[in-house]
Amino acid sequence: MESAFSDKQYYAQHFDPKGYLETYYAFSSDKEAEKALTVFTLKNLHKAFVLGGLKGDTLIDIGSGPTIYQFLSACESFREIIATDFTDQNREEMQRWLRKEPGAFDWSTIAKFVCELEGDRERWAQKEEKVRSSIKRVLKCDVTQPNPVAPLSLPPADCLLSTYCLELASKDLPAFRSALKNIGSLLKPGGHLVLATALELTFFLIGQCRFGCLYLEQKALEEAVKEAGFDIVWVETTKISFPLPLIDATGAGFVVARKC
């Protein structure tokens, strides 16, 4: 399915991190579909990192955006987290939260939810501090490049994490497969890829600004992961009815895979 794809320059010029966070991560009762997507993702991150036992020294998050929810479980399993994103404004928004600046997005409700999954909802403040201490670097990345963090050269990581990034950064399936191979170069053999994607998405809105994305079905997602040199360990999918005209995804997929 064709969509009016938004390239990386468009994101650099038009992506509003504060608007994105308020639209998709407010976790309020009037945002049931958005909340359902976040809950699906958080539960599977908990399954991968806490219940599934994925652990190691270094985790690289690809396309972190302005969010930190994806680290709430991972920080328990990895000594060092490297966050990355293409746009300057997303990296700066994350830094505002790391520095506890006034006006930074409030992640406490989501942190409490993750702590409740772990059995102690009241640990949320300590959890946030653990995330802050675990994130050692916030780097620029470009998944269209063979080395996404060029000109830097990073030691191969134990785990790659990417949530709702590659389907936004890839204009077609060949580009998606190429992006998976590019980020895979940052992972050591035997390391794990943890990947969350929107399924059958063609666009989403932030305010009045429209972002075109790759239409990705579950079968194509799994085939691309395998073609990029990974063995799939497990897959979860969910159906979600999002409110039009905000976003047109039909659900989400979550994949844990091991680099051959």
Side-chain angles (χ1 to χ4, degrees), residues 8 12 41 54-55 76 89 94 124 127 131 134 167 170 196 217-218 222 229 241:
K8 56 191 176 185
T41 311
L54 293 188
K55 60 184 179 181
E76 304 294 341
Q89 63 268 33
M94 181 184 290
W124 68 271
K127 170 73 78 175
V131 171
S134 298
E167 68 274 30
S170 306
E217 296 177 324
Q218 180 184 348
E222 294 181 26
S241 296

Side-chain angles (χ1 to χ4, degrees), residues 56-158:
D57 289 325
T58 304
L59 176 145
I60 300 175
D61 184 45
I62 301 295
S64 304
T67 66
I68 61 89
Y69 72 89
Q70 66 270 34
F71 306 129
L72 292 166
S73 293
C75 71
E76 304 294 341
S77 303
F78 292 87
R79 179 181 56 82
E80 175 184 56
I81 292 173
I82 299 173
T84 72
D85 198 76
F86 180 77
T87 70
D88 296 341
Q89 63 268 33
N90 279 343
R91 298 194 308 276
E92 179 55 30
E93 187 64 31
M94 181 184 290
Q95 293 280 17
R96 288 191 185 98
W97 183 84
L98 292 173
R99 296 189 296 255
K100 301 184 182 180
E101 291 186 5
F105 189 73
D106 181 3
W107 290 102
S108 62
T109 300
I110 289 177
K112 290 173 184 176
F113 179 85
V114 172
C115 288
E116 190 169 349
L117 291 177
E118 296 176 1
D120 187 358
R121 180 181 174 87
E122 300 309 313
R123 260 194 84 241
W124 68 271
Q126 296 97 306
K127 170 73 78 175
E128 288 193 349
E129 288 310 304
K130 188 156 190 178
V131 171
R132 287 187 173 95
S133 64
S134 298
I135 298 175
K136 305 300 185 184
R137 306 173 79 176
V138 181
L139 304 178
K140 186 179 181 70
C141 80
D142 183 349
V143 301
T144 68
Q145 301 302 309
N147 173 12
V149 294
L152 299 178
S153 180
L154 299 178
D158 300 291

Side-chain angles (χ1 to χ4, degrees), residues 190-208:
H192 286 85
L193 170 70
V194 178
L195 181 67
T197 65
L199 296 177
E200 300 178 358
L201 169 73
T202 68
F203 76 91
F204 68 96
L205 297 181
I206 302 175
Q208 299 302 310

